[in-house]
Amino acid sequence: MYFYNFYEKFNLNFIELIRLFYEEVTILENNKNIFNYDGEFIIIESKEHTSMLEINIKYAKDRTLIFKETINFKEDINNFMCRRKLKYDIKSTLYKFLVKIKGKSLSWGILTGIRPGIIVHDLLSEGLSEKNVISTMQDKYFLNNDKSRLIYDVAINERSIITKSDDKMISLYIGIPFCLSRCNYCSFVSHVCKEDDDLLKEYIESLKIELVQILILINKKKYTIETIYFGGGTPSILNIQLLEVLMNTLNNFIKLKDVIEITFEAGRPDSINREKLELLKEKNINRISINPQTMNDNTLIKIGREHKSYDIVEKFKLARKIGFDNINMDIIIGLADEGIYEVKKTFNVLEKLNPESITIHSLAIKRTANLKNEHRSESIPENFNIYDVFNFALNKAYKMDMIPYYLYRQKYSKGNLENIGFSKVDKKCIYNIKMIEDNQTIIGLGAGSVTKLLVKNNNKIQRFFNLKNVFEYNKRIDEMVNRKKKFIGNIFEI
């Protein structure tokens, strides 16, 4: 598929939509002589008239014009809301004719963004009823009935948390971008090392510098930390000494016992032991993740994990014995060789363990993942249907008395599916909701983390990106922290 678009600012939105119908999309810089080539073309052209902008969407195949749709736009293209309407008009028209050409519709319609729930929250804030919200998602954005209902339910389950917004409440994300081994589907910026690696010690010293400076600023501006999230990588790769350094640094500036929610990704069972779990419990960590991804040993080997499903069960039971009563478990739908039988096996184990929450991911293979770069072909089980398998997983979560409480989407996910968190009614992760709905300032600490500052006077998000490379982060920590303090301080004054 060849694509030419007159208005480059909208290119990304249109290309992402077209790629859901065509695996390969070649972007043309101009539309000269395009009918000299065989193949399929989508062209978006514009003609300016005195009182309006004329948009022509054309579809040509093998040098023959097959389809043409005209949009006459009479509003001010320089106005933000008008540009937004123009983008919608083009995208919805493009979607309708792609559905006609390809003979299929998309469960998420024209929505290609990460956070579809934001639209539902806006509609709810306008006072729309359940029926009207769902019909709007179907009629305006072309979602099917299941996804319209799902995203509505997620938004309702988030509502009690995001409406309790306090301008002086913020959250922290603390990134530990290290793992014991790299999973072949992983696209995160992380380094493979062992827990006694000197690089980990150097990194924690740098992270300590950033923590101290940013926490001083937070306290000076009289902000309260509502939640803390330790993510990665695999934070539990830290040995007991480094964990103590990290926790004690925090405790010098924050009373951890007063933080409403502290999540720690204990992640992989080969990085967890009794001593670490007891320290986390002692330091008031009240939510942890122990993430199997799958409970099938053959799959664990294929994706690059160096542990067995038995280890996951044993570490989960150990965490329970130590007193953790809020445990999340992640699973991935779409792993190589995994069909309905394998996912059933995973859920049979999860039902017995009975965690407080389960996050169901659809596999997304991004450019930086080993699985993508090695050009591996994944074997697909006979009669495999990812929609059936994904829906099976969702139904199992419902049967475990869980509700869908947050949802986001990724590029390149199998079947254009979503990632969705389920939890017991009283165990929703506050951080996940605040983060995914851009409802709160979240300060990211550590290499590769992102700070999202919610500007109070216009509810817009401004971002600060920490250095991704761990070696550069360690080397330039003082320079980066000074820039970051200035950025945060300026936003806090608004």
Side-chain angles (χ1 to χ4, degrees):
M1 163 58 70
Y2 296 93
F3 174 62
Y4 167 74
N5 175 27
F6 84 98
Y7 196 43
E8 291 185 356
K9 189 168 184 180
F10 290 164
N11 246 2
L12 185 60
N13 301 93
F14 302 149
I15 292 164
E16 287 178 356
L17 182 60
I18 294 169
R19 280 187 176 140
L20 296 175
F21 290 88
Y22 293 89
E23 289 186 9
E24 296 294 331
V25 180
T26 301
I27 303 160
L28 301 177
E29 293 184 2
N30 61 65
N31 66 343
K32 293 179 181 178
N33 303 317
I34 60 174
F35 292 108
N36 291 339
Y37 303 94
D38 290 331
E40 293 180 88
F41 289 83
I42 292 174
I43 308 106
I44 301 177
E45 295 176 330
S46 68
K47 295 179 182 179
E48 292 190 20
H49 300 283
T50 305
S51 60
M52 70 176 181
L53 182 67
E54 179 185 315
I55 311 295
N56 289 310
I57 301 176
K58 301 176 182 178
Y59 169 72
K61 185 173 182 180
D62 297 334
R63 312 182 191 190
T64 304
L65 182 64
I66 306 292
F67 174 92
K68 177 183 174 183
E69 183 77 25
T70 300
I71 299 169
N72 292 317
F73 193 76
K74 299 181 180 180
E75 299 179 55
D76 180 9
I77 190 66
N78 295 313
N79 179 277
F80 171 76
M81 294 305 294
C82 292
R83 286 202 310 273
R84 190 173 178 180
K85 182 179 183 301
L86 174 61
K87 181 171 70 173
Y88 169 79
D89 288 347
I90 298 173
K91 197 171 181 181
S92 58
T93 303
L94 186 62
Y95 175 77
K96 283 185 278 189
F97 102 76
L98 283 168
V99 168
K100 185 176 180 180
I101 291 166
K102 300 299 288 184
K104 70 170 186 178
S105 59
L106 305 176
S107 58
W108 283 100
I110 64 171
L111 298 186
T112 55
I114 296 171
R115 300 172 172 85
I118 289 176
I119 297 172
V120 178
H121 285 296
D122 287 344
L123 295 173
L124 289 169
S125 296
E126 292 172 14
L128 269 67
S129 67
E130 173 182 341
K131 181 180 178 180
N132 288 337
V133 169
I134 291 174
S135 65
T136 298
M137 299 308 289
Q138 293 173 344
D139 299 339
K140 183 175 180 179
Y141 299 103
F142 308 103
L143 275 66
N144 69 18
N145 183 64
D146 288 346
K147 298 308 178 190
S148 300
R149 166 57 60 184
L150 177 63
I151 194 61
Y152 175 81
D153 289 345
V154 168
I156 290 298
N157 291 330
E158 291 176 326
R159 205 78 179 148
S160 62
I161 289 175
I162 68 170
T163 52
K164 292 179 181 176
S165 185
D166 182 335
D167 288 342
K168 282 293 185 178
M169 284 279 196
I170 64 173
S171 289
L172 300 184
Y173 174 86
I174 300 173
I176 311 296
F178 299 89
C179 285
L180 291 169
S181 65
R182 188 173 182 85
C183 298
N184 63 9
Y185 56 78
C186 181
S187 61
F188 289 112
V189 178
S190 62
H191 296 257
V192 175
C193 64
K194 302 302 179 186
E195 68 172 33
D196 58 352
D197 197 304
D198 286 340
L199 180 59
L200 274 174
K201 299 174 187 176
E202 295 168 17
Y203 178 75
I204 293 301
E205 284 304 309
S206 299
L207 180 57
K208 183 179 174 181
I209 291 169
E210 184 182 11
L211 268 172
V212 169
Q213 292 299 310
I214 298 303
L215 290 172
I216 288 173
L217 178 60
I218 289 170
N219 288 341
K220 181 180 177 182
K221 299 293 183 180
K222 294 182 168 51
Y223 280 78
T224 301
I225 295 170
E226 182 177 20
T227 76
I228 302 174
Y229 194 102
F230 293 87
T234 307
S236 48
I237 194 175
L238 299 177
N239 63 32
I240 195 71
Q241 291 79 21
L242 294 179
L243 270 176
E244 281 198 286
V245 168
L246 184 56
M247 295 301 172
N248 289 341
T249 302
L250 278 166
N251 226 6
N252 287 338
F253 296 90
I254 311 166
K255 291 181 180 179
L256 292 178
K257 64 181 179 61
D258 293 337
V259 178
I260 293 172
E261 176 187 275
I262 307 178
T263 298
F264 192 97
E265 288 190 358
R268 298 161 53 139
D270 45 348
S271 68
I272 310 169
N273 59 35
R274 175 180 288 276
E275 192 178 18
K276 290 181 186 180
L277 287 171
E278 287 178 341
L279 175 66
L280 294 176
K281 186 66 179 172
E282 177 191 326
K283 298 298 182 181
N284 296 289
I285 306 300
N286 53 23
R287 183 178 184 272
I288 64 171
S289 284
I290 299 175
N291 300 330
Q293 316 305 359
T294 175
M295 296 301 292
N296 295 279
D297 289 339
N298 289 339
T299 310
L300 289 170
I301 293 169
K302 288 174 185 175
I303 65 177
R305 291 290 183 111
E306 297 178 349
H307 60 80
K308 303 289 186 183
S309 57
Y310 171 83
D311 300 316
I312 298 165
V313 173
E314 289 304 299
K315 294 302 169 61
F316 185 97
K317 290 178 177 178
L318 176 60
R320 278 282 195 250
K321 189 174 181 180
I322 288 169
F324 286 99
D325 60 0
N326 193 355
I327 304 177
N328 173 72
M329 303 187 87
D330 285 7
I331 66 164
I332 299 176
I333 304 299
L335 293 171
D337 294 316
E338 289 226 340
I340 193 73
Y341 172 81
E342 288 75 19
V343 175
K344 281 182 178 179
K345 182 178 176 183
T346 293
F347 267 95
N348 285 341
V349 179
L350 264 55
E351 281 183 297
K352 292 174 184 175
L353 294 176
N354 194 27
E356 281 63 44
S357 57
I358 296 173
T359 308
I360 302 170
H361 297 269
S362 55
L363 181 66
I365 304 172
K366 298 185 181 178
R367 290 188 301 273
T368 54
N370 291 339
L371 191 60
K372 182 81 170 178
N373 295 334
E374 292 170 7
H375 303 287
R376 286 186 187 170
S377 61
E378 297 175 76
S379 53
I380 305 297
E382 188 177 354
N383 299 323
F384 176 81
N385 184 315
I386 192 165
Y387 303 103
D388 290 344
V389 177
F390 195 83
N391 287 332
F392 169 82
L394 266 57
N395 288 331
K396 291 296 283 186
Y398 281 116
K399 288 177 181 177
M400 292 171 68
D401 294 325
M402 292 185 178
I403 58 171
Y405 79 95
Y406 92 112
L407 181 152
Y408 67 100
R409 302 178 65 222
Q410 289 177 286
K411 292 181 186 178
Y412 314 114
S413 65
K414 281 192 173 183
N416 187 34
L417 289 166
E418 63 273 11
N419 301 320
I420 181 165
F422 280 83
S423 76
K424 306 291 187 183
V425 173
D426 59 343
K427 297 294 185 180
K428 292 178 282 190
C429 178
I430 299 170
Y431 172 88
N432 283 340
I433 294 172
K434 299 278 189 179
M435 177 271 299
I436 214 65
E437 300 302 345
D438 282 343
N439 182 247
Q440 184 181 72
T441 284
I442 295 175
I443 297 180
L445 302 137
S449 67
V450 180
T451 292
K452 301 196 302 182
L453 297 177
L454 184 63
V455 183
K456 289 176 287 188
N457 59 6
N458 61 14
N459 255 11
K460 299 294 183 184
I461 293 288
Q462 293 201 26
R463 290 171 171 80
F464 184 96
F465 297 86
N466 275 17
L467 293 164
K468 284 186 177 182
N469 184 284
V470 167
F471 299 99
E472 284 296 304
Y473 176 85
N474 289 341
K475 181 180 177 182
R476 298 169 57 191
I477 185 66
D478 292 327
E479 168 203 337
M480 190 204 73
V481 169
N482 286 334
R483 284 191 293 111
K484 186 171 185 175
K485 283 170 62 180
K486 185 176 180 181
F487 173 79
I488 293 174
N490 287 341
I491 300 297
F492 275 178
E493 293 300 328
I494 296 175

